[in-house]
Amino acid sequence: MRVWLLKNIKRVLRKLKRESHIVRKIFAFILSLAITIYLHQVKKKTDDSRHIFQECWQFLLKDKFFIFLFPLVENPFQLNYREMILLQLVKKMQHAGIPYFPKIMPVELELLHKLIQPAVSALVVSVHNGLALTTRVISDLGRSVTTISSDPYITSTFIRSGIKCPINVIKNDRYCLAFLRKAISNADVICCDVDFYDSNGRYVYVSPALFEYSARFNIPLYFAKYEVMDDGCVSLSLKESIPSVKADNNIESFIKFVNSSPDSTRELSINNFIRY
């Protein structure tokens, strides 16, 4: 009897899990469709991409319907409301043929200039947000950038982010750290999102691989995070890590740094079983 009961409970839980995933996809579709409809209404009034963005942005930022939908939609990257709206709006504008890219404002300019020194390689780690803004900022400043990714649509992410320079992409597999050595010997800046998904598709784990690589080979390590402001602009914050032989110390500092913004509440933890 107990065995039968356990089997049936597990079956019901699996069904609920599948249905919950489907429901979140449905709400995500509704959110996406509603943004598209409003965008096309605004587009009829003007062709100015900045004006279109600002009018849509201010409406979406305060609309109670969208705010209500937000907690119900699929959100694998654990984005906050402004991050989600920015990503969706940029996607929809570009799909509609409206040229617009997020405006980025670096906060720590001195640290950024230190990071982009010629002939010096560095690792810059961040978390996924659907864009490649760190890569854009650094490549726009003239540095050669390498990233590690298994995303087959990474080129679309580069285009969406407004990246104009060629980016070296290393496939995320067991051999990628070997290819990474060549990029570092070429003094590339390595920009990489280091969070990974769990069995539910949520990005909750942080891989220690690049943190360990930095500690082992004494490569400068920087943390990067973004905050979407009330006007839709994105502020870039950087932090230089403290050299440490223990990668876990820097991973914990990185997680605290990512969640130091008032609106950021990502559930992140170290996963020592994830290796590139």
Side-chain angles (χ1 to χ4, degrees), residues 119-138:
V120 178
S121 187
L123 299 171
V124 186
V125 294
S126 52
V127 294
H128 286 87
N129 60 9
L131 298 165
L133 301 182
T134 311
T135 300
R136 175 180 142 191
V137 169
I138 295 174

Side-chain angles (χ1 to χ4, degrees), residues 2-187:
R2 291 179 62 185
V3 173
W4 177 87
L5 185 61
L6 285 171
K7 285 182 178 179
N8 279 275
I9 289 174
K10 288 180 179 179
R11 186 177 64 189
V12 171
L13 289 174
R14 284 196 297 268
K15 185 177 180 181
L16 288 173
K17 182 178 177 180
R18 287 196 301 269
E19 290 179 350
S20 174
H21 182 65
I22 293 171
V23 168
R24 288 188 175 275
K25 278 188 173 294
I26 291 172
F27 279 117
F29 173 77
I30 294 172
L31 179 69
S32 175
L33 180 62
I35 293 174
T36 301
I37 292 171
Y38 188 78
L39 172 62
H40 281 283
Q41 289 177 346
V42 176
K43 186 183 177 184
K44 292 177 182 178
K45 304 176 186 177
T46 178
D47 292 329
D48 188 323
S49 59
R50 292 184 180 181
H51 179 80
I52 292 172
F53 174 81
Q54 278 302 323
E55 185 167 338
C56 290
W57 173 259
Q58 292 302 327
F59 173 77
L60 296 170
L61 191 64
K62 301 172 184 177
D63 187 80
K64 292 182 179 179
F65 173 71
F66 290 99
I67 295 172
F68 168 78
L69 276 184
F70 172 66
L72 305 174
V73 304
E74 192 175 35
N75 188 8
F77 296 152
Q78 302 190 69
L79 305 179
N80 62 35
Y81 182 67
R82 280 183 286 193
E83 290 170 334
M84 174 71 78
I85 292 301
L86 177 67
L87 177 61
Q88 290 294 328
L89 185 53
V90 169
K91 281 183 176 181
K92 296 303 178 186
M93 288 181 68
Q94 293 180 10
H95 287 168
I98 305 169
Y100 184 83
F101 305 107
K103 184 178 179 181
I104 310 170
M105 299 184 299
V107 178
E108 294 85 2
L109 290 176
E110 289 186 11
L111 193 57
L112 178 60
H113 290 150
K114 179 181 178 181
L115 166 61
I116 62 169
Q117 291 179 73
V120 178
S121 187
L123 299 171
V124 186
V125 294
S126 52
V127 294
H128 286 87
N129 60 9
L131 298 165
L133 301 182
T134 311
T135 300
R136 175 180 142 191
V137 169
I138 295 174
S139 63
D140 280 354
L141 291 171
R143 287 303 308 272
S144 178
V145 177
T146 289
T147 189
I148 301 172
S149 178
S150 58
D151 183 2
Y153 305 106
I154 187 67
T155 302
S156 297
T157 303
F158 291 159
I159 295 172
R160 183 190 311 139
S161 305
I163 295 172
K164 302 174 183 177
C165 304
I167 305 299
N168 178 33
V169 180
I170 298 174
K171 185 178 179 182
N172 185 357
D173 58 24
R174 68 180 66 183
Y175 306 109
C176 71
L177 291 183
F179 288 105
L180 186 61
R181 293 180 186 176
K182 182 178 180 181
I184 289 176
S185 68
N186 292 334

Side-chain angles (χ1 to χ4, degrees), residues 180-228:
L180 186 61
R181 293 180 186 176
K182 182 178 180 181
I184 289 176
S185 68
N186 292 334
D188 282 11
V189 175
I190 316 300
C191 297
C192 192
D193 295 326
V194 292
D195 54 330
F196 289 84
Y197 53 83
D198 62 7
S199 59
N200 296 319
R202 295 179 72 247
Y203 284 67
V204 297
Y205 295 132
V206 175
S207 168
L210 289 183
F211 296 89
E212 292 173 351
Y213 195 94
S214 169
R216 181 178 179 184
F217 296 103
N218 197 30
I219 308 296
L221 177 65
Y222 295 82
F223 307 152
K225 69 171 181 177
Y226 293 88
E227 185 175 355
V228 182

